[in-house]
Amino acid sequence: LSPQSIVIQVPTKLTLSVESPSDYNKVMEQGLFASNPKAYRNAPWWAALSIQLNYFDKVNSINERAGGVSMKPWMESLPRVYDTPFHWSDSALAELQYRPMVEAVTLQKRLWKKQYDSLASSGSVFGSLITYEDFVWGCETARSRAFSGAYSGSAFNPIPYATVAALVAVYLGLGLGTVEQAANGAALVVCGSILKDFVFPKLLKVQKYVICPLIDMANHVGVGASGNVAFEYFADGFSLSVLEPGVSQGSEMFIQYGPRNNDQLLQYYGFVETNNVHDVYILPPLREWDIAALEEACGRKVGPGRLEKLDRAGLLGRSSDIDSSISGNTEAANDIGGVVLTRASGIDPAVIQALRALVSSDQEWEDAGEAIGNFAAEVSPENERAARLAVRRAMELELESKPTNMDEDKGLLKVLESRNGVDVEEILTVRYRLEKKKLLQEAIGNMR
């Protein structure tokens, strides 16, 4: 396949889509929420797409918007079972050896159950037609197959422009006004169309989520995608086209779902990418770090007032308590303000800033006016070295706290992958925690 060639083109009317923060869908509202349309309109995008999926799967497979096309063949092609952490036991989740993922899945389960209960108790027929298991299936399908972007309005509609052109011709032909007046009227229509399709959606921060049949079957690769999904404004559809340098015969075409880290890939897609360039590691918040161990590693003592100032600045994070609230952000949740480490850029610069202040000498602290903001840049070579040694030691302690080390995981993964009939859950678990440890080890090596 040569570059720029279109492999698949799907009309918009055949897709499932949701606009966030509020979606208006008469078919869903009348079919499942006639007595309380707001229950659907106010649902999160993944819940709204789950409702649409279940409607075509359980209630009515005919897509009237697409001219009476049956969605049944596509619905039957969708997976019915997902092997994601949502379905794992607590003991299996613990084997991931990564607290943020355990917390994220716990929040996900609570949030999805709460959302279903809210929809089922809305005074509609939804609860009698769609079970919680159906709803979860729809949510998982939506989370793993939908793509999103800033909503850019509807597709190109030539009717307003043709109408304006005809009116201008009549206006001038009958001598009802000047050319300038006709041009001004036409310009207003064109500007209004541009505002509606491009400007207002961006100002209102409208996000659109789409599941596109057939295109949704393309698999993900973090780097080196050979295909690209795009909305065709003038064709009113979505296309899958070939990127440079093309796709050779017999090769699979991959797309990129976005800069997904392994937390997102495992939680919602059920796989792990080796050496994922977008991967992250969330260390415990600074308030949970072993201060005595850091002092020993950097050869400095934490002086009075430092921790209090960091706490007031919100740099210490907070204690983990997933029972305190149900967050809408369930992707490897970091509500506790853990220290974020990325493969692409390393440790969060704000953490280095905090450590500079934390391990500062009395003179450095005084020279900075006891202000955390004045530690945004290096204050001295000695302070910088102490801060980096402290961070390095914190990461070493995190790695040492794991029940298994990297060599043990590599050996176990090799054994599991060589056996027949091994549960995919076991392989994913070891592969995931090994990737996390590799990321930590890389960061430790870079923190010198």
Side-chain angles (χ1 to χ4, degrees), residues 78 123 211 398 434 438:
L78 295 174
I211 301 179
E398 176 73 7
L434 179 57
K438 285 166 58 177

Side-chain angles (χ1 to χ4, degrees), residues 144-165:
S144 62
R145 305 181 91 81
F147 54 88
S148 65
Y151 180 50
S152 57
S154 56
F156 176 72
N157 184 0
I159 295 178
Y161 301 96
T163 302
V164 168

Side-chain angles (χ1 to χ4, degrees), residues 27 130 146 315 446:
V27 174
I130 310 300
L315 292 173
N446 293 332

Side-chain angles (χ1 to χ4, degrees), residues 29 72 104 119 172 186 203 219 255-256 318 332 359 418 433:
E29 291 174 10
K72 187 174 181 180
L119 292 169
L172 294 176
L203 288 177
N219 287 322
I255 62 175
Q256 189 194 66
R318 65 177 178 81
V359 301
S418 66
R433 73 192 191 200

Side-chain angles (χ1 to χ4, degrees), residues 164 168 180-190:
V164 168
V168 167
E180 289 79 7
Q181 290 172 329
N184 288 337
L188 284 174
V189 174
V190 172

Side-chain angles (χ1 to χ4, degrees), residues 400-436:
E400 292 167 6
S401 71
K402 304 298 183 183
T404 58
N405 59 41
M406 290 178 61
D407 289 337
E408 291 171 333
D409 286 344
K410 289 177 182 177
L412 178 57
L413 183 60
K414 187 175 181 180
V415 170
L416 291 173
E417 291 179 333
S418 66
R419 290 178 181 171
N420 293 323
V422 176
D423 192 336
V424 66
E425 179 183 308
E426 293 183 63
I427 296 176
L428 281 174
T429 297
V430 180
R431 186 177 294 158
Y432 175 83
R433 73 192 191 200
L434 179 57
E435 288 301 311
K436 290 299 177 185

Side-chain angles (χ1 to χ4, degrees), residues 118-419:
S118 175
L119 292 169
S121 62
S122 63
S124 63
V125 299
F126 172 83
S128 62
L129 297 175
I130 310 300
T131 68
Y132 176 61
E133 289 71 24
D134 295 332
F135 178 72
V136 167
W137 168 81
C139 290
E140 291 200 281
T141 302
R143 292 301 314 235
S144 62
R145 305 181 91 81
F147 54 88
S148 65
Y151 180 50
S152 57
S154 56
F156 176 72
N157 184 0
I159 295 178
Y161 301 96
T163 302
V164 168
L167 289 175
V168 167
V170 172
Y171 185 81
L172 294 176
L174 296 177
L176 299 176
T178 64
V179 174
E180 289 79 7
Q181 290 172 329
N184 288 337
L188 284 174
V189 174
V190 172
C191 289
S193 180
I194 293 174
L195 286 171
K196 179 179 73 72
D197 284 348
F198 299 103
V199 179
F200 288 153
K202 287 181 172 57
L203 288 177
L204 297 174
K205 297 182 179 180
V206 177
Q207 195 83 356
K208 189 163 189 173
Y209 298 85
V210 178
I211 301 179
C212 192
L214 300 182
I215 292 179
D216 68 325
M217 296 180 181
N219 287 322
H220 165 84
V221 65
V223 177
S226 51
N228 179 63
V229 179
F231 174 64
E232 304 290 342
Y233 178 71
F234 291 101
D236 190 15
F238 293 86
S239 66
L240 174 61
S241 58
V242 182
L243 296 174
E244 296 283 355
V247 181
S248 59
Q249 185 174 2
S251 299
E252 181 177 358
M253 175 184 283
F254 290 94
I255 62 175
Q256 189 194 66
Y257 296 166
R260 301 284 192 267
N261 57 54
N262 277 337
D263 301 341
Q264 296 164 317
L265 292 178
L266 179 60
Q267 186 177 1
Y268 292 112
Y269 300 88
F271 68 91
V272 174
E273 188 172 16
T274 302
N275 298 321
N276 187 343
V277 297
H278 305 296
D279 209 4
V280 303
Y281 194 104
I282 301 176
L283 292 154
L286 276 172
R287 70 170 62 253
E288 296 181 16
W289 288 17
D290 188 337
I291 299 299
L294 303 189
E295 290 176 330
E296 182 179 353
C298 71
R300 289 189 172 199
K301 293 290 183 180
V302 174
R306 273 64 153 184
L307 286 170
E308 292 79 1
K309 281 289 184 71
L310 289 174
D311 197 15
R312 286 198 292 271
L315 292 173
L316 292 185
R318 65 177 178 81
S319 299
S320 175
D321 182 9
I322 58 176
D323 294 318
S324 61
S325 64
I326 296 184
S327 169
N329 177 21
T330 58
E331 299 178 5
N334 188 22
D335 288 340
I336 61 173
V339 173
V340 178
L341 165 69
T342 69
R343 175 166 273 130
S345 56
I347 203 80
D348 185 349
V351 175
I352 299 295
Q353 177 182 347
L355 266 296
R356 290 181 186 130
L358 191 65
V359 301
S360 62
S361 66
D362 289 340
Q363 187 61 54
E364 291 165 345
W365 183 244
E366 183 180 340
D367 291 343
E370 300 185 2
I372 303 300
N374 290 330
F375 287 92
E378 180 179 328
V379 296
S380 72
E382 296 77 18
N383 175 274
E384 192 71 11
R385 180 177 179 277
R388 294 175 72 85
L389 283 172
V391 174
R392 178 186 172 91
R393 185 54 185 151
M395 292 189 290
E396 289 174 343
L397 290 171
E398 176 73 7
L399 191 57
E400 292 167 6
S401 71
K402 304 298 183 183
T404 58
N405 59 41
M406 290 178 61
D407 289 337
E408 291 171 333
D409 286 344
K410 289 177 182 177
L412 178 57
L413 183 60
K414 187 175 181 180
V415 170
L416 291 173
E417 291 179 333
S418 66
R419 290 178 181 171

